[in-house]
Coordinates of all heavy atoms in Angstrom, one line a residue:
Q8 N 7.3 43.2 14.8 CA 7.3 41.8 14.9 C 6.6 41.1 13.8 O 5.6 41.7 13.3 CB 6.5 41.4 16.2 CG 7.3 41.3 17.4 CD 6.5 40.7 18.6 OE1 5.3 40.6 18.5 NE2 7.2 40.3 19.6
E9 N 7.1 40.0 13.4 CA 6.4 39.2 12.3 C 5.2 38.6 12.8 O 5.1 38.2 14.0 CB 7.3 38.1 11.8 CG 8.4 38.6 10.8 CD 9.1 37.4 10.2 OE1 8.4 36.5 9.8 OE2 10.3 37.5 10.1
P10 N 4.1 38.5 12.0 CA 2.9 37.8 12.5 C 3.3 36.3 12.7 O 4.1 35.7 12.1 CB 1.9 37.9 11.3 CG 2.7 38.4 10.1 CD 4.0 39.0 10.7
R11 N 2.6 35.7 13.6 CA 2.8 34.3 14.0 C 2.3 33.4 12.8 O 1.3 33.7 12.2 CB 2.0 33.9 15.2 CG 2.5 34.7 16.4 CD 1.8 34.2 17.6 NE 2.5 33.0 18.1 CZ 2.1 32.3 19.1 NH1 1.0 32.5 19.7 NH2 2.8 31.3 19.5
R12 N 3.1 32.5 12.5 CA 2.8 31.5 11.4 C 2.2 30.3 12.1 O 2.7 29.8 13.1 CB 4.0 31.2 10.6 CG 4.5 32.3 9.8 CD 5.7 31.8 9.0 NE 6.4 33.0 8.5 CZ 7.5 32.9 7.8 NH1 8.0 31.7 7.5 NH2 8.1 34.0 7.4
E13 N 1.1 29.8 11.5 CA 0.5 28.6 12.0 C 1.3 27.4 11.4 O 1.6 27.3 10.2 CB -0.9 28.5 11.5 CG -1.6 27.3 12.1 CD -3.1 27.3 11.8 OE1 -3.7 28.4 11.8 OE2 -3.6 26.2 11.5
I14 N 1.7 26.5 12.3 CA 2.4 25.3 11.8 C 1.4 24.2 11.6 O 0.6 23.8 12.5 CB 3.4 24.8 12.9 CG1 4.5 25.9 13.1 CG2 4.1 23.5 12.5 CD1 5.4 25.7 14.2
T15 N 1.4 23.6 10.4 CA 0.5 22.6 10.1 C 1.2 21.2 10.2 O 2.3 21.0 9.7 CB 0.0 22.7 8.6 OG1 -0.5 24.0 8.4 CG2 -1.0 21.7 8.3
A16 N 0.6 20.4 11.0 CA 1.2 19.1 11.2 C 1.0 18.2 10.0 O -0.1 18.1 9.4 CB 0.6 18.4 12.4
I17 N 2.0 17.5 9.5 CA 1.9 16.6 8.4 C 1.8 15.2 9.0 O 2.7 14.8 9.8 CB 3.2 16.7 7.5 CG1 3.3 18.1 6.9 CG2 3.1 15.7 6.4 CD1 4.5 18.4 6.2
P18 N 0.8 14.5 8.7 CA 0.6 13.2 9.3 C 1.8 12.3 8.8 O 2.2 12.4 7.7 CB -0.7 12.7 8.8 CG -1.0 13.5 7.6 CD -0.3 14.8 7.8
P19 N 2.2 11.4 9.6 CA 3.3 10.5 9.2 C 2.8 9.6 8.1 O 1.6 9.3 8.0 CB 3.6 9.6 10.5 CG 2.4 9.8 11.3 CD 1.7 11.1 11.0
P20 N 3.7 9.1 7.2 CA 3.3 8.3 6.1 C 2.8 6.9 6.7 O 3.2 6.5 7.7 CB 4.5 8.1 5.3 CG 5.7 8.4 6.2 CD 5.1 9.4 7.2
R21 N 1.8 6.4 6.0 CA 1.3 5.1 6.3 C 2.4 4.0 6.0 O 2.9 4.0 4.9 CB 0.0 4.8 5.6 CG -0.7 3.5 5.9 CD -1.9 3.3 5.1 NE -2.9 4.2 5.6 CZ -4.1 4.3 5.1 NH1 -4.5 3.6 4.0 NH2 -5.0 5.2 5.5
P22 N 2.6 3.0 6.9 CA 3.6 2.0 6.6 C 3.1 1.2 5.3 O 1.9 1.1 5.0 CB 3.5 1.1 7.8 CG 2.9 1.9 8.9 CD 2.0 2.9 8.2
T23 N 4.1 0.7 4.6 CA 3.8 -0.1 3.4 C 4.4 -1.5 3.5 O 5.6 -1.7 3.9 CB 4.4 0.6 2.2 OG1 3.8 1.9 2.0 CG2 4.1 -0.2 0.9
A24 N 3.6 -2.5 3.3 CA 4.0 -3.9 3.3 C 4.4 -4.3 1.8 O 3.6 -4.0 0.9 CB 2.9 -4.8 3.8
V25 N 5.5 -4.9 1.6 CA 5.9 -5.4 0.3 C 5.8 -6.9 0.4 O 6.4 -7.6 1.2 CB 7.4 -5.0 0.0 CG1 7.8 -5.6 -1.4 CG2 7.5 -3.5 0.0
V26 N 4.9 -7.4 -0.5 CA 4.6 -8.9 -0.5 C 5.0 -9.5 -1.8 O 4.4 -9.2 -2.8 CB 3.1 -9.1 -0.2 CG1 2.8 -10.6 -0.1 CG2 2.7 -8.4 1.1
T27 N 6.0 -10.4 -1.8 CA 6.3 -11.2 -3.0 C 5.4 -12.4 -3.1 O 4.9 -12.9 -2.1 CB 7.8 -11.6 -2.9 OG1 8.0 -12.5 -1.8 CG2 8.8 -10.5 -2.9
G28 N 5.1 -12.7 -4.3 CA 4.1 -13.8 -4.5 C 2.7 -13.3 -4.1 O 1.8 -14.1 -3.7
G29 N 2.4 -12.0 -4.2 CA 1.2 -11.4 -3.7 C 0.0 -11.5 -4.7 O -1.0 -11.0 -4.4
G30 N 0.2 -12.1 -5.8 CA -0.9 -12.1 -6.8 C -2.0 -13.1 -6.5 O -3.2 -12.9 -6.9
R31 N -1.7 -14.1 -5.7 CA -2.8 -15.1 -5.3 C -2.3 -15.9 -4.2 O -1.2 -15.8 -3.7 CB -3.1 -16.0 -6.5 CG -1.9 -16.8 -7.0 CD -2.2 -17.7 -8.2 NE -1.0 -18.4 -8.5 CZ -0.9 -19.2 -9.5 NH1 -1.9 -19.4 -10.3 NH2 0.3 -19.8 -9.8
G32 N -3.1 -16.8 -3.7 CA -2.8 -17.7 -2.6 C -2.4 -17.1 -1.3 O -3.0 -16.1 -0.9
I33 N -1.4 -17.7 -0.7 CA -1.0 -17.2 0.6 C -0.5 -15.8 0.6 O -0.8 -15.0 1.5 CB 0.1 -18.1 1.2 CG1 -0.4 -19.5 1.5 CG2 0.8 -17.6 2.5 CD1 0.6 -20.6 1.8
G34 N 0.3 -15.4 -0.5 CA 0.8 -14.1 -0.6 C -0.3 -13.1 -0.7 O -0.3 -12.0 0.0
F35 N -1.4 -13.3 -1.4 CA -2.5 -12.4 -1.5 C -3.2 -12.3 -0.2 O -3.6 -11.3 0.3 CB -3.5 -12.8 -2.6 CG -4.6 -11.8 -2.8 CD1 -4.4 -10.6 -3.4 CD2 -5.8 -12.1 -2.2 CE1 -5.4 -9.7 -3.5 CE2 -6.9 -11.2 -2.3 CZ -6.6 -10.0 -3.0
S36 N -3.3 -13.5 0.5 CA -4.0 -13.5 1.8 C -3.2 -12.6 2.8 O -3.8 -11.9 3.6 CB -4.1 -14.9 2.3 OG -5.0 -15.7 1.5
L37 N -1.9 -12.7 2.8 CA -1.1 -11.9 3.6 C -1.3 -10.4 3.3 O -1.4 -9.5 4.2 CB 0.4 -12.2 3.5 CG 0.8 -13.5 4.2 CD1 2.2 -13.9 3.8 CD2 0.7 -13.3 5.7
A38 N -1.3 -10.1 2.0 CA -1.4 -8.7 1.6 C -2.8 -8.2 2.0 O -2.9 -7.0 2.5 CB -1.3 -8.6 0.1
E39 N -3.8 -9.0 1.9 CA -5.2 -8.6 2.3 C -5.2 -8.3 3.9 O -5.8 -7.4 4.3 CB -6.2 -9.7 2.0 CG -7.6 -9.2 2.1 CD -8.5 -10.2 1.4 OE1 -8.3 -11.4 1.4 OE2 -9.6 -9.7 0.9
A40 N -4.5 -9.2 4.6 CA -4.4 -8.9 6.1 C -3.7 -7.6 6.4 O -4.2 -6.9 7.3 CB -3.7 -10.1 6.8
F41 N -2.6 -7.4 5.7 CA -1.9 -6.1 5.9 C -2.8 -4.9 5.6 O -2.9 -3.9 6.3 CB -0.7 -6.0 5.1 CG 0.5 -6.9 5.5 CD1 1.1 -7.7 4.6 CD2 0.9 -6.9 6.9 CE1 2.2 -8.5 5.0 CE2 1.9 -7.7 7.3 CZ 2.6 -8.5 6.4
A42 N -3.5 -5.0 4.4 CA -4.4 -3.9 4.0 C -5.6 -3.7 5.0 O -6.0 -2.6 5.3 CB -4.9 -4.2 2.6
A43 N -6.1 -4.8 5.5 CA -7.2 -4.8 6.5 C -6.8 -4.1 7.8 O -7.6 -3.5 8.5 CB -7.7 -6.2 6.8
N44 N -5.5 -4.1 8.0 CA -4.9 -3.5 9.2 C -4.4 -2.1 8.9 O -3.6 -1.5 9.7 CB -3.8 -4.3 9.9 CG -4.5 -5.5 10.7 OD1 -5.0 -5.3 11.7 ND2 -4.4 -6.7 10.1
G45 N -4.7 -1.5 7.7 CA -4.4 -0.2 7.4 C -3.0 0.1 6.8 O -2.6 1.2 6.6
L46 N -2.3 -0.9 6.4 CA -1.0 -0.7 5.7 C -1.2 -0.6 4.2 O -2.1 -1.3 3.6 CB -0.1 -1.9 5.9 CG 0.7 -1.9 7.2 CD1 -0.2 -2.3 8.4 CD2 1.9 -2.9 7.2
N47 N -0.5 0.3 3.6 CA -0.4 0.3 2.1 C 0.3 -1.0 1.7 O 1.0 -1.6 2.5 CB 0.4 1.5 1.6 CG -0.4 2.8 1.8 OD1 -1.6 2.8 1.9 ND2 0.4 3.8 2.0
V48 N 0.0 -1.4 0.5 CA 0.6 -2.7 0.0 C 1.2 -2.6 -1.4 O 0.6 -2.0 -2.3 CB -0.6 -3.8 0.0 CG1 0.0 -5.1 -0.4 CG2 -1.2 -3.9 1.3
A49 N 2.4 -3.2 -1.5 CA 3.0 -3.4 -2.8 C 3.1 -4.9 -3.1 O 3.7 -5.6 -2.3 CB 4.4 -2.8 -2.8
L50 N 2.4 -5.3 -4.1 CA 2.3 -6.8 -4.5 C 3.3 -7.0 -5.6 O 3.3 -6.3 -6.7 CB 0.9 -7.1 -5.0 CG -0.2 -6.9 -4.0 CD1 -1.5 -7.3 -4.7 CD2 0.0 -7.7 -2.8
L51 N 4.2 -8.0 -5.5 CA 5.1 -8.4 -6.5 C 4.8 -9.9 -6.9 O 4.6 -10.7 -6.0 CB 6.5 -8.3 -6.0 CG 6.9 -7.0 -5.4 CD1 8.2 -7.1 -4.6 CD2 7.1 -6.0 -6.6
A52 N 4.6 -10.1 -8.2 CA 4.3 -11.5 -8.6 C 4.6 -11.6 -10.1 O 4.8 -10.7 -10.8 CB 2.8 -11.7 -8.4
L53 N 4.7 -12.9 -10.5 CA 4.9 -13.2 -11.9 C 3.7 -12.9 -12.8 O 3.8 -12.7 -14.0 CB 5.3 -14.7 -12.1 CG 6.7 -15.1 -11.6 CD1 6.9 -16.6 -11.7 CD2 7.8 -14.4 -12.5
L54 N 2.5 -12.9 -12.1 CA 1.3 -12.8 -12.9 C 1.0 -11.4 -13.3 O 1.2 -10.4 -12.6 CB 0.1 -13.2 -11.9 CG 0.2 -14.6 -11.3 CD1 -0.9 -14.7 -10.2 CD2 0.0 -15.7 -12.3
D55 N 0.6 -11.3 -14.6 CA 0.2 -9.9 -15.1 C -1.0 -9.4 -14.4 O -1.2 -8.2 -14.3 CB 0.0 -10.0 -16.6 CG 1.3 -10.2 -17.4 OD1 2.3 -9.8 -16.9 OD2 1.2 -10.7 -18.5
S56 N -1.8 -10.3 -13.8 CA -3.1 -9.8 -13.2 C -2.8 -9.3 -11.8 O -3.7 -8.9 -11.1 CB -4.0 -11.0 -13.1 OG -3.5 -12.0 -12.3
V57 N -1.5 -9.1 -11.4 CA -1.2 -8.6 -10.0 C -1.7 -7.2 -9.8 O -2.1 -6.8 -8.7 CB 0.3 -8.8 -9.7 CG1 1.1 -7.8 -10.5 CG2 0.5 -8.6 -8.2
A58 N -1.8 -6.4 -10.9 CA -2.3 -5.0 -10.8 C -3.7 -5.0 -10.5 O -4.2 -4.2 -9.7 CB -2.0 -4.3 -12.1
E59 N -4.5 -6.0 -11.0 CA -5.9 -6.1 -10.7 C -6.1 -6.5 -9.2 O -7.0 -6.0 -8.5 CB -6.6 -7.0 -11.6 CG -6.8 -6.5 -13.0 CD -6.6 -7.6 -14.1 OE1 -6.6 -8.8 -13.7 OE2 -6.3 -7.2 -15.2
S60 N -5.2 -7.4 -8.7 CA -5.3 -7.8 -7.3 C -5.0 -6.6 -6.4 O -5.7 -6.4 -5.4 CB -4.3 -8.9 -7.0 OG -4.5 -10.0 -7.8
A61 N -4.1 -5.7 -6.8 CA -3.8 -4.5 -6.0 C -4.9 -3.6 -6.0 O -5.3 -3.0 -5.0 CB -2.5 -3.9 -6.6
D62 N -5.6 -3.4 -7.2 CA -6.8 -2.5 -7.2 C -7.9 -3.0 -6.3 O -8.5 -2.2 -5.7 CB -7.3 -2.5 -8.7 CG -6.4 -1.7 -9.6 OD1 -5.5 -0.9 -9.1 OD2 -6.5 -1.8 -10.8
E63 N -8.0 -4.3 -6.3 CA -9.1 -4.9 -5.4 C -8.8 -4.6 -3.9 O -9.7 -4.2 -3.2 CB -9.1 -6.4 -5.6 CG -10.1 -7.2 -4.8 CD -10.0 -8.7 -4.9 OE1 -9.7 -9.1 -6.1 OE2 -10.3 -9.4 -4.0
L64 N -7.5 -4.7 -3.5 CA -7.2 -4.4 -2.2 C -7.4 -2.9 -1.9 O -7.9 -2.6 -0.8 CB -5.7 -4.7 -1.9 CG -5.4 -6.2 -1.8 CD1 -3.9 -6.4 -1.6 CD2 -6.1 -6.9 -0.7
A65 N -7.0 -2.1 -2.8 CA -7.2 -0.6 -2.6 C -8.7 -0.3 -2.4 O -9.0 0.5 -1.5 CB -6.6 0.2 -3.7
R66 N -9.5 -0.8 -3.3 CA -11.0 -0.5 -3.2 C -11.6 -1.1 -1.9 O -12.4 -0.5 -1.2 CB -11.7 -1.1 -4.4 CG -11.6 -0.3 -5.6 CD -12.6 -0.8 -6.7 NE -12.5 -2.2 -7.0 CZ -11.6 -2.7 -7.8 NH1 -10.8 -2.0 -8.5 NH2 -11.6 -4.0 -8.0
S67 N -11.2 -2.3 -1.6 CA -11.8 -3.0 -0.4 C -11.4 -2.4 0.9 O -12.2 -2.5 1.9 CB -11.4 -4.5 -0.4 OG -11.8 -5.1 -1.6
H68 N -10.2 -1.9 1.0 CA -9.7 -1.6 2.3 C -9.3 -0.1 2.5 O -8.8 0.3 3.5 CB -8.5 -2.4 2.7 CG -8.8 -3.9 2.8 ND1 -9.6 -4.4 3.8 CD2 -8.6 -4.9 1.9 CE1 -9.8 -5.7 3.6 NE2 -9.2 -6.0 2.4
G69 N -9.5 0.7 1.4 CA -9.2 2.1 1.4 C -7.7 2.4 1.7 O -7.4 3.4 2.3
V70 N -6.8 1.6 1.1 CA -5.4 1.8 1.2 C -4.8 2.1 -0.2 O -5.5 1.9 -1.2 CB -4.7 0.7 1.9 CG1 -5.2 0.4 3.3 CG2 -4.8 -0.6 1.1
E71 N -3.6 2.5 -0.2 CA -2.9 2.6 -1.5 C -2.3 1.2 -1.8 O -1.7 0.6 -0.9 CB -1.8 3.6 -1.5 CG -2.4 5.0 -1.4 CD -1.3 6.1 -1.4 OE1 -0.3 5.9 -2.1 OE2 -1.5 7.1 -0.7
A72 N -2.4 0.8 -3.0 CA -1.8 -0.5 -3.4 C -1.3 -0.5 -4.8 O -1.9 0.2 -5.6 CB -2.8 -1.6 -3.2
I73 N -0.2 -1.2 -5.0 CA 0.4 -1.2 -6.4 C 0.7 -2.7 -6.7 O 1.2 -3.4 -5.8 CB 1.6 -0.3 -6.5 CG1 2.1 -0.3 -8.0 CG2 2.7 -0.7 -5.5 CD1 3.2 0.7 -8.2
G74 N 0.5 -3.1 -7.9 CA 0.9 -4.5 -8.3 C 1.9 -4.4 -9.4 O 1.8 -3.7 -10.3
I75 N 3.0 -5.1 -9.1 CA 4.2 -5.1 -10.1 C 4.4 -6.5 -10.5 O 4.7 -7.4 -9.7 CB 5.4 -4.5 -9.4 CG1 5.1 -3.1 -8.9 CG2 6.6 -4.5 -10.4 CD1 6.2 -2.5 -8.0
A76 N 4.3 -6.7 -11.8 CA 4.6 -8.0 -12.4 C 6.1 -8.1 -12.6 O 6.7 -7.4 -13.4 CB 3.9 -8.2 -13.8
T77 N 6.7 -9.0 -11.8 CA 8.2 -9.1 -11.9 C 8.6 -10.5 -11.4 O 7.8 -11.2 -10.8 CB 8.9 -8.0 -11.1 OG1 10.3 -8.1 -11.3 CG2 8.6 -8.2 -9.6
D78 N 9.9 -10.9 -11.7 CA 10.4 -12.1 -11.2 C 11.5 -11.7 -10.1 O 12.4 -11.1 -10.4 CB 11.1 -12.9 -12.3 CG 11.6 -14.2 -11.9 OD1 11.6 -14.5 -10.7 OD2 12.0 -15.0 -12.8
V79 N 11.2 -12.2 -8.9 CA 12.1 -11.8 -7.8 C 13.1 -12.9 -7.5 O 13.8 -12.8 -6.5 CB 11.4 -11.4 -6.5 CG1 10.6 -10.1 -6.8 CG2 10.5 -12.5 -6.1
T80 N 13.2 -14.0 -8.3 CA 14.2 -15.0 -8.0 C 15.6 -14.6 -8.3 O 15.9 -13.8 -9.0 CB 13.8 -16.3 -8.8 OG1 13.8 -16.0 -10.2 CG2 12.5 -16.8 -8.4

């Protein structure tokens, strides 16, 4: 008989919220609420500073966050 293999459970991935207009204002507030509730966050905005906003969320709430400067219109 083969020795028993231990099965390691892989935790399910954390949900990710994608927020357009997430660099500031209402969009950033929504992203912050998602992060505070444990969701990873992807921020999309015209602002080049959106990456810094994402870093702030990641540090403050212990989630993964990315900021992408783009035009979604």
